[in-house]
């Protein structure tokens, strides 16, 4: 017998009942569950537009993304234009509890078929995105696009030896900061404009130093214009390696840590951009000991920077716990960064965002005083034992109740609208 879906008519009453019981249980552990969901409600996650169309954007090229980025899968119904992408995002947002943001790439400008090169784009290309976000009371974040372009074909952009190519990308970056500032001014919440470049080398370079000097100069030139931080905040994102940049990445972790520290920008930590045995959860308190703010690109690398859909893994919970235990959430901008074309793309957003929110809820519900106490006493046996026992607390009951309160689907009830959209909308796109 298949049980009725959790969206059955009497489910709401059951959710209320389970919530009350769960609250009692948490209270026994010294945790105020109502307060935990209140805190969760203040968290905004930036949904990356590029999950909806396999990082293609609207510039009309055949689909070669470049930059070492790889999207695999051929699920039907990729968004082909901005209206479709917004419709898919709206569906995803309606299935995710809380109030969130959307993160755009420069390649998603709308110029109605008119070709405007990257160094010449402006906020006018995003007028409809801005109106859309304003209508939903939502913030936007932004990214210059340093790939999928003939001038990035060498695998070098801001660090390219040719000054004309560097100039082009510097101008692109400048244009993007202004667009970010326009987002922030129009929407009343600062836009985080994140710079990631693909620059690097497949094989062993002789000169690792000069490209980094060029990158530093290019970044300084790109950022020369003073922009109100209430409108736009710059972030820089490094990585360990990419496809085609296995031996050398110009913008490495150390490079950007130094850059962010010396220039006062945000540092972006992408969870897929480290050696698989490294954990981003351990890096947060380290970098935030020196930097005011950071950006997180929450992703899931399997064996490499594979950008799988985020799920509720131990790594993700560890990040959430660090953010909550250290009271760091006010200084950390949360963005998602994954792309999977092998499953329903809207479902990917819903699963990934809900997973991140669940991780945060778990962290808000942690019996942290008990654990801190054990640690302070040097009782690491009790610390380990309590940590294990806490994994069995009824997070799901609190989660479902929060979804209900937020008017978002509880349990698996989000899947049916996604399936309907698949049948009614996506099927007609192919
Ligand atoms: C690439 C970076 C970067 C991109 C997006 C599309 O390794 O993670 O953030 O994924 O800009
Ligand atoms: Zn990233």
């Amino acid at each position: 017998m298949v049980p009725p879906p959790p969206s059955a008519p009497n489910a709401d009453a059951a959710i209320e009942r389970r919530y009350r019981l769960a609250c009692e249980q948490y209270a026994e552990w010294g945790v105020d569950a109502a307060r935990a969901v209140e805190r969760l409600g203040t968290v905004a996650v930036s949904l990356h537009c590029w999950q909806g169309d396999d990082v293609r954007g609207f510039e009309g090229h055949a689909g070669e993304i470049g930059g070492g980025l790889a999207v695999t899968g051929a699920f039907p119904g990729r968004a082909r234009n901005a209206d479709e992408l917004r419709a898919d995002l709206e569906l995803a947002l309606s299935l995710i509890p809380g109030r969130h943001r959307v993160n755009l790439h420069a390649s998603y400008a709308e110029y109605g078929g008119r070709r405007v090169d990257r160094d010449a784009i402006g906020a006018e290309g995003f007028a409809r995105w801005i109106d859309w976000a304003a209508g939903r009371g939502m913030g936007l974040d932004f990214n210059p696009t340093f790939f999928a372009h003939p001038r990035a074909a060498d695998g070098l952009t801001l660090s390219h030896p040719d000054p004309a190519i560097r100039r082009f990308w510097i101008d692109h970056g400048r244009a993007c900061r202004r667009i970010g500032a326009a987002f922030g001014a129009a929407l009343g919440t600062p836009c985080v404009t994140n710079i990631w470049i693909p620059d690097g080398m497949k094989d062993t370079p002789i000169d690792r130093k000069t490209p980094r000097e060029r990158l530093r100069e290019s970044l300084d030139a790109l950022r020369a214009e003073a922009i109100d931080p209430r409108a736009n905040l710059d972030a820089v994102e490094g990585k360990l390696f990419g496809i085609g940049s296995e031996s050398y990445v110009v913008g490495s972790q150390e490079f950007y840590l130094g850059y962010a520290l010396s220039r006062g920008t945000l540092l972006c930590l992408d969870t897929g951009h480290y050696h698989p045995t490294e954990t981003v959860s351990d890096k947060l308190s380290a970098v935030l000991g020196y930097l005011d703010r950071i950006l997180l690109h929450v992703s899931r690398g399997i064996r490499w920077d594979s950008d799988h859909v985020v799920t509720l893994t131990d790594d993700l919970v560890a990040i959430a716990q660090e953010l909550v235990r250290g009271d760091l959430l006010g200084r950390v901008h949360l963005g998602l960064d994954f792309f999977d074309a092998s499953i329903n793309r809207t479902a990917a957003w819903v699963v990934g965002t809900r997973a991140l929110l669940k991780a945060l809820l778990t962290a808000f519900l942690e019996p942290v005083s008990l654990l801190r106490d054990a640690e302070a006493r040097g009782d690491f046996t009790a610390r380990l034992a309590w940590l294990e026992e806490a994994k069995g607390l009824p997070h799901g009951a609190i989660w479902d109740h929060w979804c209900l309160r937020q008017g978002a689907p509880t349990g698996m009830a989000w899947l049916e609208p996604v399936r309907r959209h698949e049948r009614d909308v996506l099927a007609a796109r192919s």
Side-chain angles (χ1 to χ4, degrees):
M1 242 291 275
V2 181
S7 54
N10 67 350
D12 291 5
I15 286 170
E16 291 287 353
R17 237 179 9 253
R18 285 198 293 261
Y19 172 73
R20 276 195 303 275
L21 284 174
C23 283
E24 276 176 28
Q25 200 174 340
Y26 277 108
E28 286 164 14
W29 286 61
V31 174
D32 181 347
R35 173 88 189 102
V37 285
E38 215 173 278
R39 294 170 76 190
L40 183 61
T42 66
V43 175
V45 177
S46 201
L47 270 75
H48 54 315
C49 75
W50 53 92
Q51 162 58 50
D53 77 331
D54 314 338
V55 207
R56 287 201 196 208
F58 308 136
E59 292 169 323
H61 48 78
E64 195 37 45
I65 316 170
L69 304 176
V71 188
T72 53
F75 199 87
R78 165 180 65 82
R80 296 163 302 180
N81 54 54
D83 288 328
E84 291 180 355
L85 189 55
R86 281 188 287 264
D88 295 355
L89 275 163
E90 280 175 18
L91 175 60
L93 288 163
S94 75
L95 304 175
I96 297 164
R99 287 166 60 80
H100 302 290
R101 308 167 63 86
V102 165
N103 193 5
L104 298 175
H105 242 284
S107 51
Y108 291 76
E110 289 176 89
Y111 280 104
R114 193 158 56 89
R115 176 149 168 74
V116 178
D117 210 348
R118 302 252 178 99
D119 58 340
I121 55 170
E124 70 286 349
F126 294 88
R128 296 188 61 209
W129 282 110
I130 295 174
D131 284 351
W132 177 72
R136 307 181 56 92
M138 193 173 69
L140 288 177
D141 297 303
F142 200 48
N143 304 260
T145 309
F146 293 98
F147 51 85
H149 191 279
R151 291 199 187 227
D154 294 338
L156 296 169
T157 61
L158 290 175
S159 73
H160 201 289
D162 179 347
I165 294 186
R166 289 206 300 279
R167 165 57 45 195
F168 174 83
W169 290 115
I170 290 167
D171 287 343
H172 175 54
R174 284 183 174 161
C176 287
R177 290 181 79 232
R178 289 192 200 123
I179 294 167
F183 288 178
L187 303 170
T189 163
C191 166
V192 177
T193 297
N194 177 54
I195 296 173
W196 172 75
I197 61 167
D199 298 34
M201 291 194 187
K202 183 184 178 79
D203 226 324
T204 319
I206 302 306
D207 183 0
R208 293 174 185 266
K209 184 166 134 247
T210 312
R212 289 190 170 134
E213 286 168 356
R214 288 194 294 254
L215 175 55
R216 194 175 60 233
E217 275 170 25
S218 293
L219 287 170
D220 285 347
L222 184 164
R223 298 187 56 260
E225 192 182 337
I227 287 187
D228 186 345
R230 286 168 302 184
N232 182 75
L233 297 165
D234 298 325
V236 287
E237 176 182 10
K239 77 196 264 185
L240 177 62
F241 80 96
I243 299 174
S245 63
E246 289 85 353
S247 301
Y248 172 58
V249 171
V250 184
S252 59
Q253 167 71 17
E254 292 76 9
F255 177 91
Y256 281 129
L257 178 59
Y259 192 85
L261 275 173
S262 57
R263 305 313 198 255
T265 69
L266 279 70
L267 180 70
C268 171
L269 282 74
D270 182 308
T271 57
H273 285 192
Y274 300 89
H275 187 280
T277 63
E278 281 184 82
T279 47
V280 167
S281 50
D282 184 49
K283 300 179 188 297
L284 301 172
S285 57
V287 297
L288 284 165
Y290 301 94
L291 293 167
D292 278 345
R293 313 181 78 81
I294 61 167
L295 168 65
L296 275 186
H297 267 190
V298 182
S299 192
R300 180 167 57 107
I302 298 200
R303 304 188 189 279
W304 73 292
D305 182 24
S306 59
D307 288 300
H308 277 68
V309 177
V310 165
T311 56
L312 190 55
T313 59
D314 287 352
D315 280 352
L316 186 65
V317 173
I319 288 171
Q321 286 169 333
E322 273 301 304
L323 295 176
V324 171
R325 291 174 190 165
D327 196 16
L328 300 174
L329 269 165
R331 296 161 58 199
V332 177
H333 300 255
L334 296 172
L336 297 166
D337 186 10
F338 51 77
F339 20 97
D340 191 339
S342 73
I343 59 170
N344 183 303
R345 295 172 183 79
T346 304
W349 275 315
V350 177
V351 169
T353 315
R354 286 173 72 112
L356 176 53
L357 294 169
K358 281 182 194 166
L360 287 162
L361 177 61
T362 305
F364 284 126
L365 288 168
E366 190 176 53
V368 75
S369 22
L370 202 112
L371 296 163
R372 276 192 208 287
D373 219 53
E375 185 161 280
R377 285 196 318 271
D379 187 352
F380 301 151
T381 310
R383 181 183 63 184
L384 180 66
W386 281 118
L387 267 174
E388 280 309 285
E389 191 59 23
K391 289 179 184 170
L393 286 171
H395 310 128
I398 310 289
W399 168 257
D400 276 341
H401 188 259
W402 187 57
C403 290
L404 191 68
R405 283 283 184 81
Q406 294 282 318
T410 56
M412 283 300 298
W414 62 266
L415 188 57
E416 184 39 39
V418 168
R419 290 287 189 225
R420 213 179 311 129
H421 181 71
E422 203 172 297
R423 284 191 302 270
D424 301 348
V425 180
L426 301 190
R429 283 185 193 166
S430 9

